[in-house]
Amino acid sequence: MRTVRTFVVSPSLPPKLQPLREVAYNLWWSWDRDAIELFRRLDRDLWERTGHNPVKMLGELSQDRLNAAVRDDSLMAYIDRVETKLRNYLQSPSWFNSLGPSQPSDIIVYFSAEFGLTECVPIYSGGLGILAGDHLKSASDLGLPLVGVGLMYRQGYFQQYLNADGWQQETYPDNNFYTMPVTLMLREDGRPIRFHIGIQDRDVVVQIWRVNVGRVNLYLLDTNLRCNRLEDRQITAQLYGGDSEMRIRQEILLGIGGIRALNALGIAPKVCHMNEGHAAFLSLERIRMVMEKHQLRFAQAREATVSGNVFTTHTPVPAGHDVFAPNLMEKYFSNYFQQIGISWDEFLALGRIKAQDRNESFSMTTLALRLSSHRNGVSQLHGMVSREMCKPVWAGDVPVDEVPVTSITNGIHVRSWISREMSELYDRYLGPRWSDRPSDMRVFNRVDQIPDEELWRTHERRRERLVTFARRRLRQQLEHRGASPVETALADEVLDPEALTIGFARRFATYKRGTLLFQDMERFARIIGNKERPVQIIFAGKAHPRDTQGKELIRKLVHAIRKEDFRRRVVFLENYDINVARTMVQGVDVWLNTPRRGMEASGTSGMKVLANGGLNLSILDGWWCEGYSHDTGWAIGRGETYEDEDYQNAVESRALYDLLEKEVIPCFYQRSSDRLPRNWLRMMKGSMQKLIGHFSTNRMVSEYAQGFYLPSLRRYDRFIADNLQRAKTLADWKDSMRDRWGEVQIGKVEAVAHDKLLVGGKLEVRCQIRLGAIDPGDVSVELYQGPVDAEGQIHSGEAVAMEAKGDVRDGWHVFTGQIPCRYSGQCGFSVRVIASHPDLVDKYDSGLIRWDEEQSAEPEVAAAKVES
């Protein structure tokens, strides 16, 4: 093959149109309706044809059109207005600055394997990426000193189309980075900024691209360079493509390479946020760099860096977490582990539940949990599921309620998902604060001021646009499949712009149950075939290329849709992406969500309909457990779960049909004399008032900032001060405590109980503790107490601190405490000793805990009852 020498050609814009370039290269335009309208005014058809890509569009505009734009005074004034708006946004005071003084070095880095920012930067697959993109946008709105790190996929996630049988097919078109709103990072001499990373037995060269996301920079790593081997160029080819070996290469690049990329850019992060476990190797690289710079031991460097690590898990099932076999880890880390000064067994133990089990795989989630100071799930329910799932990581039989994994419920970037028409309605009746402060619940209390007529007319226009969009997409799908002209023409007959429209769009995994509506085909056909009260459903979604069961779900759905009873009322839109999602959430009346309870960590798709006036009809899972009330939408079931999945499907499909027939459809079609669905509008307003502000990423990111980022920044500063003295002291203390922990014993436990314990009273407990050479100030002695279940276990327990009385006899310290009797029934307690130090990340950080091993309590305690 002959050598090809490449060069880059950029759009030639007249000087007066140069501001267009600045706007096009900052994804702020993707959530500003005036900026989007600017590009539409330049050439509406070209805007659509280029996939809403302003950079590509500017490169394809004819010189005649550019010259005409310069002569158009109205357009030039509009360009100036948008440019001024962008500059004001970038320079405006921020919410983060209002929290107190900060330093230029206070840098937070957000790592994610995917980012869903806009459809013209296709480096995302689904909810995780969309959440990451919205996180960056809200970080920009709030002014956080945050940057993002990800991978620059040449082909991104696959594009989907269905064959004649309805079976999903995948294509992987190459992205042309030079016609996308991304910029290659260059040195002062014009050469690309590059760095090396060792992967297996060779060096891989990496270059860095930047995406401007408002005030936030996102840096993306790219190995598709001629100097690299073919297999190394493929590392950044596809998102979630390839096998486990490709996955470990990508995660080495994201985590270890991400830290080195920041170093090459002169960025020294204090806080690193791992969005899922894909980037968990960064925690090792941070340790290695601190060891090298400050000549520390692994344990000391670990204390310094853990203080600045944050980990968010999104996956509620163990099978969804990345694990790598020991032989694969050895293949890629046999040299690396020596650089951090620990043995191979110690290295693998960082990612194992059972450190001595040589057959156990290395878990990225376990690694992230062990090397983070803050850890969270993404909804309240997911927080509980995550604590149960992550419990084995903590030694000492930590009660599940006390596993140090909290929750911050996800949200959405409201301005990215709201329709132009609805945002203009908010401008008129809510004022400008709704867009500046979308998490301010008080702003949306004014939704009642929107006249019902205007709200309904606006919503109907969006439904009409969705139907038009769906018909056009369906026609394109049929033409691509080679359908006959007669069949293609029928695309214009599907759907009704005035009918109740339900949307279902998400990844087609089996647990999401995309075909639940089709459990009883005859009943479903009667529901949607009612001529007086028609119902229609729009489906969209992809199955992972290797998920055969998910593909089969799509095939079954498509075959069902083709039946005469459903053909005009149900459609499946191929190649689900941000553009399809945006159009659907802006136009549907109801958003349907049917996962098996406990398996949807949060789910943000249903949040996107809130600001657009849509209502949710969902299983009580993820965020809907927090969002649901009788006046905000509908709940399918009441959170019941059954071991028999077929039975669960049958029960919940019947509940879904009942809701549609008895509540949803009657409410939608019940019209007053002015033909308005007043009860439906009341629910729309109730949903908007109660939910929009809370389920926004501005609220979410502010919680991360105040609960995680700021405490981590300050903790990191303390630990690196004075030549990392605090980190050294804590590491040495842990080593000393581990050596002496075997000396800790719990002796006699006495409870002063009366014949009856009444609610409001107290049970006094006294115990003897032997500490050996350990100072009493280095331990916390606690009573863990609460109601006792039928199996004799404490549930929903709480800790009560015990105090040392200063009495020491034969090496036994005396501690006392009081248990408050807050409720009646059978209660219980246990005594425990925990290693305690003011600099620990959390009370279980040391892994040193001793429980009272005596299972049978003193007779008077066992007999004691708490009565009302």
Side-chain angles (χ1 to χ4, degrees), residues 730-748:
L730 181 58
D732 293 345
W733 176 86
K734 283 185 177 181
D735 289 343
S736 174
M737 290 295 287
R738 289 190 193 100
D739 291 340
R740 295 177 291 165
W741 194 248
E743 302 174 22
V744 176
Q745 298 178 47
I746 299 176
K748 186 176 182 180

Side-chain angles (χ1 to χ4, degrees), residues 784-805:
Y784 181 72
Q785 62 87 24
V788 174
D789 60 23
E791 297 180 356
Q793 299 298 313
I794 295 172
H795 66 89
S796 302
E798 64 173 322
V800 176
M802 303 186 76
E803 296 182 357
K805 285 304 177 183

Side-chain angles (χ1 to χ4, degrees), residues 36-94:
I36 293 172
E37 186 60 27
L38 168 60
F39 294 115
R40 284 181 173 153
R41 284 185 61 175
L42 281 169
D43 191 321
R44 188 174 298 273
D45 291 339
L46 185 57
W47 173 252
E48 297 297 331
R49 197 161 62 248
T50 57
H52 304 162
N53 182 344
V55 173
K56 186 175 183 180
M57 177 183 175
L58 292 177
E60 294 185 12
L61 279 171
S62 68
Q63 204 62 45
D64 289 343
R65 178 67 187 105
L66 293 172
N67 293 335
V70 173
R71 295 191 299 270
D72 186 337
D73 291 341
S74 173
L75 180 58
M76 292 303 298
Y78 199 87
I79 292 173
D80 182 65
R81 173 186 167 188
V82 172
E83 182 199 22
T84 301
K85 193 175 182 181
L86 172 58
R87 291 187 182 277
N88 289 341
Y89 172 84
L90 297 176
Q91 297 169 5
S92 62
S94 73

Side-chain angles (χ1 to χ4, degrees), residues 27 44 67 80 112 424 430 529 642:
L27 295 190
R44 188 174 298 273
N67 293 335
D80 182 65
S112 182
E424 289 173 348
L430 274 61
Y642 306 95

Side-chain angles (χ1 to χ4, degrees), residues 37 83 86 131 146 152 161 164 207 281 328 331 338 398 440 457 513:
E37 186 60 27
E83 182 199 22
L86 172 58
L131 184 280
L146 182 144
M152 189 61 163
Y161 71 94
Q207 65 183 7
F281 289 138
L328 196 60
K331 184 174 181 179
Q338 299 174 27
V398 175
D440 188 343
R457 189 163 59 247
R513 298 189 296 181

Side-chain angles (χ1 to χ4, degrees), residues 6-167:
T6 61
F7 54 93
V8 179
V9 179
S10 300
S12 176
L13 298 177
K16 290 186 177 181
L17 295 183
Q18 287 301 318
L20 286 173
R21 189 189 305 275
E22 181 180 357
V23 176
Y25 276 93
N26 192 314
L27 295 190
W28 165 84
W29 62 258
S30 69
W31 70 87
D32 185 88
R33 60 179 186 265
D34 290 331
I36 293 172
E37 186 60 27
L38 168 60
F39 294 115
R40 284 181 173 153
R41 284 185 61 175
L42 281 169
D43 191 321
R44 188 174 298 273
D45 291 339
L46 185 57
W47 173 252
E48 297 297 331
R49 197 161 62 248
T50 57
H52 304 162
N53 182 344
V55 173
K56 186 175 183 180
M57 177 183 175
L58 292 177
E60 294 185 12
L61 279 171
S62 68
Q63 204 62 45
D64 289 343
R65 178 67 187 105
L66 293 172
N67 293 335
V70 173
R71 295 191 299 270
D72 186 337
D73 291 341
S74 173
L75 180 58
M76 292 303 298
Y78 199 87
I79 292 173
D80 182 65
R81 173 186 167 188
V82 172
E83 182 199 22
T84 301
K85 193 175 182 181
L86 172 58
R87 291 187 182 277
N88 289 341
Y89 172 84
L90 297 176
Q91 297 169 5
S92 62
S94 73
W95 168 86
F96 187 80
N97 289 338
S98 70
L99 298 180
S102 61
Q103 307 170 29
S105 59
D106 287 348
I107 297 175
I108 305 154
V109 184
Y110 185 88
F111 288 76
S112 182
E114 52 174 306
F115 287 90
L117 295 157
T118 180
E119 55 266 38
C120 70
V121 185
I123 54 171
Y124 63 93
S125 71
L128 179 71
I130 300 299
L131 184 280
D134 282 8
H135 193 112
L136 296 194
K137 293 173 184 178
S138 281
S140 171
D141 288 344
L142 298 173
L144 270 66
L146 182 144
V147 300
V149 171
L151 302 184
M152 189 61 163
Y153 302 102
R154 189 175 75 252
Q155 297 174 335
Y157 204 50
F158 70 93
Q159 293 194 13
Q160 174 202 54
Y161 71 94
L162 306 182
N163 66 16
D165 189 43
W167 191 258

Side-chain angles (χ1 to χ4, degrees), residues 187-350:
R187 302 182 187 277
E188 292 182 0
D189 60 6
R191 292 182 301 158
I193 296 176
R194 293 179 175 177
F195 65 93
H196 294 254
I197 180 172
I199 295 183
Q200 203 175 352
D201 57 352
R202 57 190 179 276
D203 272 350
V204 177
V205 182
V206 187
Q207 65 183 7
I208 309 167
W209 298 81
R210 185 188 70 222
V211 183
N212 298 322
V213 188
R215 294 187 263 206
V216 167
N217 289 329
L218 168 61
Y219 296 105
L220 302 170
L221 312 186
D222 175 19
T223 64
N224 184 31
L225 302 170
R226 291 184 181 179
C227 56
N228 288 328
R229 296 184 186 182
L230 177 61
E231 60 264 41
D232 294 330
R233 296 180 67 171
Q234 295 298 318
I235 293 174
T236 54
Q238 297 176 3
L239 172 60
Y240 303 142
D243 55 12
S244 294
E245 191 146 4
M246 177 57 72
R247 181 65 67 87
I248 197 171
R249 292 176 186 171
Q250 290 183 330
E251 298 188 0
I252 289 170
L253 178 62
L254 177 61
I256 297 175
I259 295 295
R260 294 187 186 180
L262 295 170
N263 189 53
L265 294 167
I267 298 172
K270 290 185 177 178
V271 176
C272 291
H273 186 167
M274 294 169 271
N275 188 42
E276 260 307 353
H278 307 122
F281 289 138
L282 73 81
S283 58
L284 300 174
E285 181 65 5
R286 295 192 81 186
I287 291 172
R288 188 196 66 79
M289 290 179 67
V290 169
M291 290 178 65
E292 183 180 84
K293 181 178 179 180
H294 297 280
Q295 301 301 305
L296 300 182
R297 295 186 294 110
F298 174 86
Q300 296 169 327
R302 172 178 177 165
E303 298 303 334
T305 55
V306 162
S307 61
N309 289 340
V310 172
F311 171 54
T312 297
T313 177
H314 296 258
T315 310
V317 290
H321 296 262
D322 283 345
V323 295
F324 300 117
N327 63 330
L328 196 60
M329 290 296 295
E330 184 175 11
K331 184 174 181 179
Y332 285 91
F333 285 92
S334 59
N335 294 324
Y336 187 90
F337 84 92
Q338 299 174 27
Q339 300 176 40
I340 54 178
I342 57 177
S343 70
W344 180 241
D345 286 341
E346 290 173 320
F347 181 83
L348 289 182
L350 293 170

